Amino acid sequence: MIEYCINWKEEIEGEKQKIEEAFCRIVKERENGVSGYYLLPDGSRLIIEKLRDKFLPTSTIKESDTIAIIGIGGSSLGTKALEQILHPIYPNAKRLIFFENTDPLEFLKKVESIEKERTIFILISKSGSTIETTSLYKLLIKSLDLDIDDKDRERIFVITDKDSLLDRYATLHNLNRFFIPNNVGGRFSVLSAVGIVPLTLAGYDTLALLDGAKRLERAFFKREAEHILHKGLLYANYHKDWLMNVIFAYSSYFKAFNEWYVQLWGESLGKINTKGEHIGLTPLGHIGSIDQHSFLQLIIDGPRDKSVSFIQIDSFPKDLIIPPISLENIEKNDYINKKSLGELLNAECEATLEALQSEKIPTDSIVLDTLSTKNIGELIFYYELLTSIVGTFLNINTYNQPGVELGKKILRKKFN
């Protein structure tokens, strides 16, 4: 289970009408298909069934040990986040390797680590024409001598929109295909085929992932998770004061999760509102306790333009006890002897939280009772839902990305 707590005090009694209106708009979004991610906790179960029936029993999948994902942004960040967090509890899962950046040195290093005959290739692009993705795919074809029309066809999967350019390409070569719902944007797509296909093929319990997301989806629409609406309202009310929202996640395994959150929050909430104003909350992702030694000073003594969200794991699946060794001249640290590293990490989290509270910096906390697949599925859905709620309160289109499209147009001109 996950415990959510908003630590700053704010009167919302006079805001009940706003909250009710926002909830009704979210319900209409779901019912009218404005964004389809609300339905993925149920809809993506069919994908798992198809994978288990048709693909997991094949020798191609059984004999592979690596899943190569060719995609960028929403086509890779969510899957990478889930794989990084969950790998400690799935140590026998197949390796996932991500071809996402057009850095030639990185490409060469990764391609050298691949044995073609033991690798499944998953090409992901919602539009079907993402320039980075298609360029990296071409390089993989050449570097690994991929025979897409014969002996390597079974190890290539395509995930895209139905009738996209990539869908036509996959049809032409008779490649394995899965589709992203048209009304699910890339940054909200991790619980669609985008994340479910590679993680299922790799050996993760993706049904449990969807169960966790469903747990929060059911609670929210039954009005049993009002804290999300309250938090979204406060972010919207103070968006001109809290210009930045910092996630402080107390586990190194959340680094990729922070990167996913940065895209989700940034692309969704950095918009021009109905009044023509440029608005947005800048997302920042940090890891505790590491970044206590690099960024905490700025939060406490720098400009008071930040809110901070703490993510904490109450009980780690594996932990280590600090041995009762006394170091000459450093005996003052012996108080930590016989305590676990998990206890130390959580105490650092709580001390940092209390320090920020004492300085009147707005904070909230999310505590996972343990690191589990269901909890992480719920956490993914929580941030997607929170993003939609904040966008609703800000009166913006949460799901488009005109600024990104402008950059793509300029890029094309540079090569014409």
Side-chain angles (χ1 to χ4, degrees), residues 40-51:
L40 294 178
D42 287 321
S44 290
R45 295 171 191 272
L46 296 175
I47 298 172
I48 299 172
E49 289 179 15
K50 182 177 179 180
L51 288 167

Side-chain angles (χ1 to χ4, degrees), residues 99 107-115:
F99 290 90
F107 176 87
L108 289 169
K109 181 178 180 180
K110 288 182 176 180
V111 80
E112 287 172 359
S113 72
I114 285 181
E115 184 180 346

Side-chain angles (χ1 to χ4, degrees), residues 34-37 40 126 161 180-186 188-190 192:
V34 174
S35 181
Y37 82 87
L40 294 178
K126 182 170 173 61
D161 274 0
I180 307 166
N182 288 332
N183 60 351
V184 175
F188 287 87
S189 68
V190 62
S192 73

Side-chain angles (χ1 to χ4, degrees), residues 118-219:
R118 297 179 64 82
T119 302
I120 302 299
F121 300 88
I122 305 180
L123 181 61
I124 308 175
S125 171
K126 182 170 173 61
S127 69
S129 58
T130 308
I131 189 66
E132 296 90 347
T133 302
T134 54
S135 298
L136 293 169
Y137 177 57
K138 291 175 183 178
L139 280 167
L140 283 170
I141 291 174
K142 185 176 187 301
S143 301
L144 298 173
D145 191 25
L146 283 174
D147 185 351
I148 60 176
D149 290 312
D150 190 8
K151 61 181 180 179
D152 294 321
R153 183 184 330 176
E154 289 187 357
R155 64 180 67 258
I156 300 174
F157 288 73
V158 166
I159 300 174
T160 186
D161 274 0
K162 192 173 181 60
D163 297 324
S164 72
L165 296 175
L166 184 54
D167 179 23
R168 296 176 199 174
Y169 168 83
T171 301
L172 181 65
H173 294 281
N174 196 26
L175 302 177
N176 303 310
R177 286 174 298 164
F178 286 86
F179 296 117
I180 307 166
N182 288 332
N183 60 351
V184 175
R187 58 188 177 274
F188 287 87
S189 68
V190 62
L191 296 180
S192 73
V194 169
I196 296 301
V197 170
L199 291 170
T200 303
L201 293 177
Y204 290 88
D205 185 356
T206 46
L207 274 178
L209 194 70
L210 296 177
D211 286 343
K214 181 64 181 179
R215 183 169 66 192
L216 183 63
E217 185 264 341
R218 184 186 298 114

